[in-house]
Amino acid sequence: MATCGLLSQTPILCSKLLSMYAICGDITHARLLFDDDDSFILKTKNTFLWNFMIRGYVDFGAPGTALSLYDEMLLWGQKPDNLTFPFLLKACGDLSLLQLGMQIHGQAVISGYGSDSYVQNTLISMYMNCDRRDAASLLFANMHERTAVSWNTMIAGNLRHGSLGEALTVFVQMQRAGEQPDAATVVSILPVCAHLRDLPRGRQIHGFINIKGLGNCLRVRNSLIDTYAKCGSMEDARKVFDDGEKDVVSWTAMIGGYDLNGNPGEAFLLSHKMLQFSEIKLTAITITTLLSACPGWSSSLKHGKSVHRIAIRKYGELQMDVIVETALIDMYAKCGQPDLCYKVFTNTSRRKTVPWNAVISGYTHNGLAREAVLIFKQMRAEAVPCNTSTIVCLLPAYAILANHWEVRNIHGYLVRSGFVFSEQSSLEITTGLMHLYLKCGKLDSANVLFASLSKKDVVSWGAMISGYGIHGRGREAVQLFHQMIQSGIKPNEVTVTSALCACSHAGLVDEGIHFFRSLTETYHMEPNLDHYSCIVDLLARAGRLKEAYELVSTMPIEHNQAVWGALLGACSLHKNVELGEVAAKHLFELEPENPGNYVLLGNIYAALGMWNHVEGVRALMNERGLSKTPGCSIIDVGNLLRVSNA
């Protein structure tokens, strides 16, 4: 057309061609035509064409260029209209340019478009994007005519800023005002239900979706799947998933839902099924979800490697998305393959913190504490920035080493780096450091850290109670528990377990029984297996074996090996063969391959001179191919560790 001279002669054709380029996302050719000296557009640029170009740049992801083009538009003497301002306001919202957005708001009012519903809706969105919810709410409250878009914008904005209650309030007001929610409303309000785990409201909205016939909208269906999954109702999620059209988002939501709700087997099976559909184009989020669905079984390693090959085909070995790289490292670590975990790590972007965190965590997960510490030291040598997650991943490795000198070294680094004893101190990190000192038996050092906490939570209190209890300081542990209660912190199941264990180790029978009774009477908790194990151990250690056995016999929940193990251990201590045989019989059924239980029963027989029974236990162990595992001790001499085999 350009060679025929039509562009210089036909204004309508020029305009349509420019708008076609802009709408189709070819902003480069649209701009060439817009600036072409030979086209008719240069001579007749009007607001309509300027709007198309500004909109094109906003849609193209270049809001800054769109705003610059607006300045040119004003220089050309063109006046903006009710379509210009929404595009400009969206650009300001995308860039979080609050001051400029407010100026354009003022220009819209002066130009007579301040009450235009289209302009007002984009103003609400702009203020929400710039974190001025007060301005957005004031504008919304003063609107003469609210459309579904107005309500949806308020709901979505409040959701984005975490104001879930406010988002629900707006939704309820929308219904009371007689405005019918549409698909966009549903897609905005369902994530609120998901975050609040409000299953009844989610089902109520699902009923509305069915009444209004919105169930055929794929975005609505995917939001329903995600909501049901996050609310823990996988049956409802699966029904929505199975009953209609699916895309990559549907599969990802279902697989992620099973993984979230503690059903890795179903997540694994569904992810394996998904890979059979070659037409599904996987995204980085989907690949990450598929990798997270590997439950760590030997069979899941093959699946993980298949997903790895897909990731390589999609991205290339050295150009993967960082979340995919991190998920691969986590997957191989979970499957017990630290070598493959490190191999993936060596091909990642070494300047990013997240992969380093993942490999440190992976080594720790596989018990390779020394290697995890070495990776951290290499991370520091390469000047890769550490964050709170790095330290949270690292501290369990130092806990495995339990070396006081190593703990002092990491403590010094954390102080120098501002992770403790500073305004940016992390409660989680300080508590983790306390745990390290407690594990090394350095109670005074842990106390200094504990006292430095401006705000103590149930975890930090629990760490101190547990630490004192483990080291036989039961009375101090009980005293700490009471101090925690007096400070207004409500105990959880873990802190109660720590207090019970402290009483057991220190022989504080009356205090332990008081704690156990207070579970239901004072703290309104149902005792769990850990609580029963502790109180059985406490009674049995004190020689009150009959009471301990009666408690086990009347437990309202199913027994486990810890409960019977506590009773058997005490029977060995007090040479009670009758109850010892009962406990051992249950343990042989619950964990038949644990040689420790056979050894304990044999010790009871040996202490009473019942050598025929001792030989019988040994024969049973030989028949089952079991042998006693040699014990060993680790002794810290200076800064060196010495291992002594028993």
Side-chain angles (χ1 to χ4, degrees):
M1 286 186 288
T3 56
C4 298
L6 291 176
L7 291 181
S8 61
Q9 301 173 14
T10 315
I12 295 177
L13 180 60
C14 287
S15 299
K16 288 187 177 295
L17 187 60
L18 185 146
S19 60
M20 182 270 292
Y21 279 134
I23 291 172
C24 293
D26 192 349
I27 196 66
T28 303
H29 280 89
R31 187 60 185 265
L32 287 172
L33 185 59
F34 190 72
D35 293 337
D36 188 358
D37 291 339
D38 295 329
S39 74
F40 195 82
I41 288 177
L42 187 65
K43 304 170 187 176
T44 60
K45 285 181 179 176
N46 55 26
T47 301
F48 174 81
L49 294 176
W50 284 99
N51 286 348
F52 257 113
M53 287 304 302
I54 293 171
R55 174 188 176 181
Y57 276 114
V58 173
D59 293 343
F60 184 70
T65 308
L67 293 170
S68 299
L69 200 61
Y70 174 60
D71 291 335
E72 285 187 45
M73 176 183 176
L74 296 179
L75 290 174
W76 272 71
Q78 292 293 327
K79 293 183 178 180
D81 60 14
N82 65 322
L83 297 179
T84 315
F85 290 114
F87 303 142
L88 297 173
L89 291 167
K90 186 177 187 309
C92 292
D94 290 345
L95 295 171
S96 296
L97 298 175
L98 176 61
Q99 293 302 319
L100 182 57
M102 293 173 69
Q103 290 177 20
I104 293 174
H105 184 180
Q107 292 173 15
V109 172
I110 293 170
S111 301
Y113 299 113
S115 59
D116 182 89
S117 62
Y118 191 25
V119 173
Q120 288 183 323
N121 289 336
T122 48
L123 274 168
I124 293 172
S125 179
M126 184 273 293
Y127 282 123
M128 281 292 189
N129 285 342
C130 294
D131 201 16
R132 282 297 304 274
R133 284 169 289 169
D134 54 341
S137 298
L138 182 62
L139 188 64
F140 178 76
N142 291 324
M143 288 180 72
H144 296 297
E145 182 183 353
R146 296 172 186 153
T147 64
V149 175
S150 315
W151 293 97
N152 295 346
T153 305
M154 285 296 296
I155 294 169
N158 280 299
L159 169 64
R160 187 163 56 250
H161 291 288
S163 300
L164 306 180
E166 186 63 29
L168 275 177
T169 300
V170 174
F171 177 67
V172 172
Q173 289 174 349
M174 177 182 185
Q175 293 175 302
R176 288 175 179 171
E179 185 68 50
Q180 288 298 316
D182 56 14
T185 316
V186 169
V187 171
S188 295
I189 199 62
L190 280 173
V192 177
C193 301
H195 280 86
L196 294 174
R197 298 183 181 275
D198 190 345
L199 182 59
R201 191 180 292 273
R203 285 180 172 152
Q204 181 185 2
I205 294 171
H206 190 178
F208 169 81
I209 289 169
N210 291 335
I211 293 172
K212 295 298 180 181
L214 301 174
N216 293 327
C217 175
L218 192 54
R219 288 180 63 215
V220 170
R221 293 172 53 77
N222 290 340
S223 292
L224 272 173
I225 293 170
D226 183 66
T227 299
Y228 279 132
K230 288 178 178 173
C231 289
S233 181
M234 291 308 298
E235 290 183 5
D236 288 321
R238 190 59 184 261
K239 190 173 187 304
V240 176
F241 177 79
D242 288 337
D243 286 350
E245 183 186 357
K246 307 171 187 63
D247 65 359
V248 67
V249 178
S250 318
W251 286 92
T252 304
M254 275 304 301
I255 295 167
Y258 279 123
D259 192 41
L260 176 69
N261 286 282
N263 194 341
E266 199 64 40
F268 173 61
L269 291 173
L270 196 62
S271 60
H272 185 72
K273 184 177 180 181
M274 176 187 178
L275 294 179
Q276 297 173 4
F277 294 90
S278 57
E279 69 274 10
I280 296 178
K281 295 182 179 180
L282 303 183
T283 64
I285 297 295
T286 311
I287 292 173
T288 302
T289 303
L290 290 172
L291 291 168
S292 299
C294 293
W297 308 330
S298 57
S299 58
S300 69
L301 178 60
K302 182 179 178 181
H303 169 76
K305 288 182 175 179
S306 297
V307 179
H308 190 175
R309 286 191 290 270
I310 292 170
I312 291 173
R313 287 199 299 269
K314 182 175 178 62
Y315 296 104
E317 187 73 39
L318 300 175
Q319 295 179 338
M320 288 188 192
D321 191 295
V322 67
I323 66 169
V324 175
E325 293 171 340
T326 306
L328 280 167
I329 294 170
D330 287 338
M331 181 273 294
Y332 283 124
K334 194 162 55 174
C335 292
Q337 301 291 322
D339 291 341
L340 292 176
C341 173
Y342 185 75
K343 186 177 180 181
V344 173
F345 169 70
T346 57
N347 290 324
T348 63
S349 175
R350 300 289 287 270
R351 299 304 308 164
K352 294 180 179 177
T353 304
V354 176
W356 289 86
N357 295 351
V359 78
I360 290 171
S361 178
Y363 273 134
T364 305
H365 176 78
N366 285 278
L368 302 173
R370 180 61 59 191
E371 288 80 354
V373 172
L374 290 174
I375 287 289
F376 172 67
K377 291 179 179 178
Q378 183 183 350
M379 181 182 184
R380 289 177 57 198
E382 296 188 20
V384 179
C386 300
N387 56 24
T388 300
S389 296
T390 310
I391 308 305
V392 170
C393 293
L394 178 68
L395 290 181
Y398 280 94
I400 294 172
L401 296 174
N403 183 330
H404 175 230
W405 298 100
E406 294 273 11
V407 173
R408 288 180 63 182
N409 286 338
I410 189 63
H411 187 178
Y413 167 77
L414 294 177
V415 172
R416 292 192 302 273
S417 303
F419 286 106
V420 293
F421 295 143
S422 72
E423 292 182 2
Q424 290 78 34
S425 294
S426 165
L427 178 62
E428 187 176 12
I429 290 177
T430 305
T431 302
L433 194 56
M434 283 164 42
H435 174 71
L436 298 186
Y437 278 119
L438 290 166
K439 191 164 185 182
C440 296
K442 303 296 182 180
L443 302 183
D444 291 342
S445 298
N447 253 324
V448 171
L449 285 167
F450 185 64
S452 73
L453 291 173
S454 58
K455 182 181 180 182
K456 300 175 177 67
D457 64 359
V458 69
V459 178
S460 53
W461 280 101
M464 292 299 295
I465 294 167
S466 175
Y468 272 92
I470 289 171
H471 291 287
R473 307 269 289 270
R475 293 201 179 278
E476 289 94 329
V478 171
Q479 187 177 2
L480 276 170
F481 185 89
H482 289 307
Q483 287 176 7
M484 180 186 73
I485 300 297
Q486 290 169 4
S487 71
I489 301 293
K490 183 180 179 181
N492 58 18
E493 292 182 345
V494 177
T495 49
V496 172
T497 302
S498 298
L500 285 171
C501 286
C503 293
S504 178
H505 286 301
L508 304 175
V509 181
D510 293 336
E511 289 87 345
I513 293 173
H514 170 74
F515 275 130
F516 188 75
R517 288 174 177 167
S518 66
L519 274 172
T520 52
E521 295 173 3
T522 306
Y523 307 121
H524 308 293
M525 294 183 199
E526 289 298 324
N528 60 28
L529 283 169
D530 289 335
H531 300 143
Y532 276 106
S533 298
C534 289
I535 198 67
V536 168
D537 184 60
L538 172 66
L539 291 169
R541 280 174 183 264
R544 296 160 67 166
L545 295 171
K546 185 178 179 182
E547 290 179 60
Y549 178 66
E550 288 176 354
L551 180 62
V552 174
S553 302
T554 57
M555 279 173 55
I557 53 180
E558 190 175 352
H559 313 134
N560 69 350
Q561 58 269 27
V563 174
W564 289 113
L567 185 60
L568 178 60
C571 288
S572 177
L573 179 68
H574 295 285
K575 304 179 182 59
N576 188 314
V577 68
E578 293 83 5
L579 287 181
E581 287 177 337
V582 173
K585 179 183 177 182
H586 286 283
L587 286 168
F588 293 165
E589 293 175 357
L590 289 168
E591 42 180 14
E593 296 182 359
N594 183 353
N597 298 324
Y598 299 87
V599 172
L600 280 174
L601 181 60
N603 291 342
I604 298 175
Y605 289 141
L608 297 174
M610 303 170 66
W611 301 110
N612 290 337
H613 289 76
V614 173
E615 290 300 321
V617 172
R618 288 177 179 171
L620 184 59
M621 289 182 69
N622 291 332
E623 180 185 324
R624 297 184 177 181
L626 303 176
S627 60
K628 180 184 176 183
T629 304
C632 68
S633 300
I634 299 178
I635 304 171
D636 189 352
V637 182
N639 195 21
L640 299 174
L641 294 179
R642 296 285 185 266
V643 179
S644 173
N645 291 320

